[in-house]
């Protein structure tokens, strides 16, 4: 949650999930200032999504705008 909103709790704050056309290999992105999770709409499975979101969080890339090459 903190990786998406910049806060450990939501309180009354909401966040948005935005789907974009992109490569299935692209990592999800997070914009903490806009409280937005940006996901490629092309992930072929839940397992693929899980792999990419874990990579994003484990590498600390959420909210940075950086992508894995």
């Amino acid at each position: 949650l903190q990786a998406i909103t910049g806060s450990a709790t939501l309180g009354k704050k909401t966040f948005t999930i935005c789907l974009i056309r992109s490569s299935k290999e692209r990592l999800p992105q997070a914009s903490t200032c806009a409280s937005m999770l940006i996901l490629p709409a092309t992930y072929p499975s839940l397992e693929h999504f899980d792999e990419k979101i874990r990579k994003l969080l484990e590498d600390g890339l959420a909210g940075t705008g950086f992508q894995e090459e």
Side-chain angles (χ1 to χ4, degrees):
L1 186 60
Q2 189 161 359
I4 299 168
T5 65
S7 177
T9 62
L10 268 181
K12 294 185 183 222
K13 192 174 187 178
T14 61
F15 70 92
T16 303
I17 298 173
C18 180
L19 298 176
I20 60 170
R21 291 182 192 203
S22 182
S23 163
K24 68 179 182 179
E25 296 308 314
R26 184 181 178 115
L27 290 175
Q29 292 177 274
S31 173
T32 55
C33 55
S35 295
M36 185 180 304
L37 178 61
I38 305 161
L39 301 172
T42 54
Y43 287 154
S45 67
L46 185 56
E47 290 79 17
H48 192 82
F49 166 77
D50 187 59
E51 172 190 325
K52 295 298 182 184
I53 201 83
R54 287 180 188 276
K55 175 77 172 158
L56 176 80
L57 296 173
E58 288 170 2
D59 289 357
L61 299 175
T64 65
F66 293 108
Q67 288 292 314
E68 178 184 48
E69 295 296 327

